[in-house]
Amino acid sequence: MLILRCPAQLQLLEETLRKSLPTTLPVLGTVMTVARGNPASHEVLVDSWPHFGIVLTRLRPEDHRDPRDYYTNQLSVFYRDKGALQALLEGTEAVTRERAFQLLGMQDGLDEAVQEVASARGLKVE
């Protein structure tokens, strides 16, 4: 996953996400916050740039306080393709099994994809 830090990239991403409202709302707010100074210490990750399949926003790893606190470890996601979501959940450093987390998104199929990956790993999902 690539971390977007460049203001031009963040602005282009923001414009792209606005075209797909309301499903992009969980990530759009964080993208806007990061582009405008990032007072909350979040980061914006994409699988590729500029043609991304998935956008993930999260608190910077160094700012995580408690690996068991799923509320603090919130991840917001928007994906264009369900395969990109499954790839993210199955094998990237962006989502690790060492931390409890809460995944926020508004797209159909998100819950099913999370359940499939969790079942394959033998993990409990609440």
Side-chain angles (χ1 to χ4, degrees):
M1 299 283 295
L2 306 168
I3 300 173
L4 297 185
R5 293 187 179 96
C6 172
Q9 290 176 327
L10 291 165
Q11 183 174 0
L12 180 59
L13 179 60
E14 181 180 330
E15 292 168 7
T16 303
L17 293 172
R18 283 181 185 272
K19 295 175 186 173
S20 297
L21 282 169
T23 56
T24 59
L25 194 57
V27 295
L28 179 59
T30 303
V31 171
M32 292 172 65
T33 300
V34 171
R36 289 161 180 77
N38 199 15
S41 297
H42 281 89
E43 55 188 17
V44 177
L45 296 88
V46 293
D47 57 346
S48 61
W49 185 256
H51 305 289
F52 62 88
I54 193 163
V55 178
L56 177 76
T57 64
R58 67 180 184 188
L59 189 64
R60 289 182 188 150
E62 60 270 14
D63 292 326
H64 289 281
R65 303 287 189 260
D66 183 357
R68 296 166 292 159
D69 184 358
Y70 68 88
Y71 182 75
T72 311
N73 300 321
Q74 285 186 355
L75 308 173
S76 297
V77 66
F78 168 74
Y79 56 94
R80 291 181 170 166
D81 136 33
K82 192 174 175 180
L85 174 65
Q86 289 181 316
L88 171 77
L89 294 172
E90 288 173 350
T92 65
E93 70 284 350
V95 179
T96 67
R97 291 169 33 169
E98 288 78 36
R99 294 192 171 280
F101 64 89
Q102 185 174 168
L103 187 62
L104 307 173
M106 294 181 63
Q107 293 169 272
D108 290 334
L110 177 63
D111 186 51
E112 292 83 14
V114 170
Q115 292 289 346
E116 287 173 21
V117 172
S119 294
R121 288 184 171 183
L123 300 173
K124 179 182 174 188
V125 176
E126 295 178 9

